Amino acid sequence: MTNPSEPLEGAPLIAPSSVSHPLYEAVAEACRTVYDPEIPVNIYELGLIYTISINDENDVKIIMTLTAPGCPVAGEMPGWIVDAVSPVPGVKSVDVQLTWEPPWGMEMMSDEARLELGFM
């Protein structure tokens, strides 16, 4: 029997986003307005936003992580995202969930974030 917490073989570690939904770009742009207070790059470019899922009723579910489990803003950052995304025209509701799987790594940063932080 397979352990139910383990992903099925071949299943993606990060659920796909609703990139074809008309609200996706506006929601992603709203996420780009939230910054990690310790790193001068927005959380979207840092790769902390794993999934933006938007259903037909325009309910938004965001799955995210943090750079480390002991991050001092762990309790606050999901609320910052709700505050940033909720005003997007057309968004009905916003649910933000934290995950630690897969763990965040520097390879998840965008090229823009790497450049900003001097890694390129």
Side-chain angles (χ1 to χ4, degrees), residues 21-49:
H21 193 284
L23 288 175
Y24 177 81
E25 286 302 324
V27 170
E29 193 58 38
C31 289
R32 286 183 181 98
T33 68
V34 179
Y35 282 74
D36 183 309
E38 297 178 329
I39 305 170
V41 176
N42 72 69
I43 62 168
Y44 189 88
E45 300 301 335
L46 277 176
L48 299 181
I49 302 294

Side-chain angles (χ1 to χ4, degrees), residues 74-88:
E76 299 172 48
M77 195 174 291
W80 298 346
I81 296 169
V82 170
D83 291 345
V85 174
S86 293
V88 171

